[in-house]
Amino acid sequence: MPHSSAAPRPFAPSTPDPWYPDVLLAELQSTLAALADLEVQYETDRERLEAWAGPEAIKTKFAAQLEERHQRNREPYVQRLADLQCSMIRLMTLEDICSNP
């Protein structure tokens, strides 16, 4: 199974909602794209492993290693999404405070 590196990739520009700063939207899109790439690669690797005609004990060991690698690789992106969510909540709260007299 080849090891893949899912790095943030370029994204298509879009019209952000009024309260989304451009940088926050770009970070969100980039992080989601990288996470989606990881998920696709993981599913591809799992399917390839399931189709492999090797011994079941080795397949089980490889499946565990694949799962561990997948969790380790996706954790930084999941954490980044949580951080971005906090930033969005802070921005929404601030906008609510500023728009209510």
Side-chain angles (χ1 to χ4, degrees):
M1 284 172 278
H3 177 69
S4 75
S5 169
R9 61 183 180 154
F11 57 89
S14 65
T15 305
D17 289 337
W19 57 268
Y20 271 20
D22 291 339
V23 173
L24 184 58
L25 180 60
E27 280 290 315
L28 183 60
Q29 289 174 330
S30 176
T31 303
L32 287 171
L35 192 55
D37 288 346
L38 278 175
E39 295 301 322
V40 168
Q41 184 62 52
Y42 173 67
E43 289 302 320
T44 301
D45 290 346
R46 277 192 45 216
E47 289 171 4
R48 195 174 307 148
L49 181 58
E50 287 176 16
W52 182 53
E56 198 60 38
I58 294 175
K59 284 173 73 169
T60 301
K61 179 181 177 181
F62 284 168
Q65 290 173 347
L66 180 62
E67 175 67 24
E68 182 181 321
R69 184 182 77 200
H70 174 64
Q71 291 302 320
R72 185 177 60 248
N73 288 345
R74 74 187 299 273
E75 180 57 34
Y77 297 105
V78 171
Q79 182 59 53
R80 181 65 183 144
L81 286 174
D83 294 343
L84 290 169
Q85 182 181 25
C86 288
S87 295
M88 290 186 313
I89 290 170
R90 279 194 299 271
L91 285 171
M92 287 188 301
T93 304
L94 180 59
E95 184 174 282
D96 288 345
I97 291 170
C98 293
S99 64
N100 290 329

